[in-house]
Amino acid sequence: MTSIDDLAREVGVSTATVSRALRGLPRVSEQTRQRVVEAAVRLGYVPSASASGLATGRTRTVAVVVPFVTRWFFATVVHGAEQVLRERGYDLLLYNLAGDPAARQRLFGTGLLTKRADAVLVLGLAPTAEEVRQLRSGGRPVGLVGASVDGWPSVQIDDHAAARSAVEHLLALGHRRIAYVGGLDDSPVDVVVPTARRDGYRAALLDAGVEPDPAYEVEGRFTMAGGLAAGRRLLDLPEGPTAVFAASDEMAIGVLRAAREAGRSVPGDLSVIGVDDHETALFFDLSTVRQRVDEQGRTSARQVLALLGETDELVPERVVLPTELVLRSTTAPPA
């Protein structure tokens, strides 16, 4: 079996240069890189991950922690991160909390993350002070998506502003009875987004002189089934809303189904708007606030790779990606 030493001798360069050339790292001329790649193909060289780890102290693995891996948002962020990591020769080690606070405590409390990976990405969670301490003690770079901690790189959108833009659109159309379908305040794993979007909804109403009605704030669990149940509950109210802002497109699609079941036309009887621009939003012609979900994963991966010295790319420590109001056929003035 051809070793990296054999390959270095064949090309006439150091083993470090061979390693950098094959991993696509900077400070290797394109001519040298090409010679190394051609020789590796010719000699059938296959790099040993275990040997590389022993030599460098690196696992070439990034741990990614998600609250719910089955949710579209988190799966899409992971996909974006994995694309960037794979290009740099890194594997992705996925930890799914599945909404279990005990799993979260075990994961952060044992040092498992920093023992098994060179860096950690935490998606959609606000780390507690103790979790921050534990992660920092591991000495590994940590990147956040959807939250922020001083000294750590983060990627997010302005969830408060995204919610405001959706509700302000409904208010501008003339709606005043506007409901909110969102997440739980007491989520067992402390997901950040639901609270920020609910607060943006309330702020937009208050600025327009509309007092938020607790009866119009309904749990939707960020799923289509949850949105369906929430929509049914809202449409059963004696004086139901004329519009619904759902904190995700999946919940908004559930509300659309509830309206159809109840014989309500959209947008004639009920306007509906979501957040995400989910891959099915166009199919339902759903008005929404678009966010670049996969780009959040790609940007976060680039941030930790820069901290690992794998790239010379200058990535800002705190990135707030833009959102865009996308108007389709599910919103209109009230009848």
Side-chain angles (χ1 to χ4, degrees), residues 4-305:
I4 192 171
D5 292 320
D6 298 329
L7 185 54
R9 280 193 296 270
E10 176 71 15
V11 181
V13 297
S14 69
T15 56
T17 298
V18 169
S19 177
R20 295 186 68 82
L22 292 178
R23 289 156 58 197
L25 298 181
R27 297 193 292 278
V28 177
S29 72
E30 192 54 41
Q31 182 181 15
T32 300
R33 192 187 311 278
Q34 187 63 32
R35 288 171 53 215
V36 170
V37 170
E38 290 174 354
V41 172
R42 185 172 66 254
L43 298 177
Y45 171 71
V46 178
S48 167
S50 58
S52 176
L54 288 171
T56 63
R58 295 273 180 91
T59 65
R60 300 201 66 76
T61 301
V62 172
V64 179
V65 182
V66 296
F68 303 97
V69 73
T70 55
R71 303 286 172 85
W72 170 83
F73 173 84
F74 297 116
T76 306
V77 174
V78 169
H79 175 69
E82 194 273 337
Q83 286 179 312
V84 172
L85 295 173
R86 185 178 65 245
E87 290 171 359
R88 289 291 179 177
Y90 273 75
D91 292 324
L92 185 149
L93 185 59
L94 186 65
Y95 290 94
N96 175 31
L97 300 181
D100 181 2
R104 175 172 180 166
Q105 185 177 12
R106 286 194 302 271
L107 184 61
F108 288 105
T110 60
L112 189 65
L113 290 171
T114 53
K115 291 174 183 175
R116 292 186 175 180
D118 298 332
V120 180
L121 297 183
V122 181
L123 312 186
L125 300 172
T128 65
E130 177 59 20
E131 289 168 349
V132 170
R133 187 195 66 77
Q134 290 165 343
L135 287 169
R136 282 182 169 150
S137 69
R140 304 291 196 225
V142 178
L144 303 174
V145 174
S148 61
V149 170
D150 288 343
W152 285 350
S154 65
V155 183
Q156 57 195 136
I157 65 168
D158 187 334
D159 289 290
H160 190 278
R164 283 191 66 111
S165 67
V167 177
E168 286 169 354
H169 165 64
L170 297 172
L171 289 164
L173 290 172
H175 293 279
R176 290 300 179 268
R177 302 203 315 269
I178 302 171
Y180 169 76
V181 175
L184 287 168
D185 284 345
D186 58 349
S187 169
V189 289
D190 191 23
V191 180
V192 178
V193 166
T195 301
R197 294 184 187 174
R198 182 207 59 202
D199 291 348
Y201 155 81
R202 290 176 178 174
L205 291 182
L206 289 170
D207 285 352
V210 178
E211 187 67 28
D213 186 344
Y216 282 175
E217 296 183 12
V218 183
E219 159 63 29
R221 298 188 179 275
F222 280 78
T223 64
M224 292 183 189
L228 172 61
R232 288 169 175 166
R233 180 175 166 185
L234 289 168
L235 293 173
D236 281 343
L237 291 173
E239 186 177 38
T242 62
V244 173
F245 163 58
S248 77
D249 285 350
E250 290 170 285
M251 291 188 290
I253 290 167
V255 173
L256 293 178
R257 172 64 184 269
R260 187 176 71 178
E261 285 182 352
R264 310 287 181 89
S265 70
V266 176
D269 298 321
L270 183 73
S271 285
V272 180
I273 190 169
V275 177
D276 286 333
D277 204 21
H278 187 282
E279 55 194 11
T280 60
L282 183 60
F283 176 81
F284 288 95
D285 210 24
L286 176 68
S287 293
T288 187
V289 180
R290 175 183 294 153
Q291 62 169 323
R292 297 155 59 194
V293 180
D294 55 349
E295 182 59 26
Q296 293 178 49
R298 286 195 291 267
T299 301
S300 187
R302 288 196 293 266
Q303 286 175 326
V304 295
L305 286 173

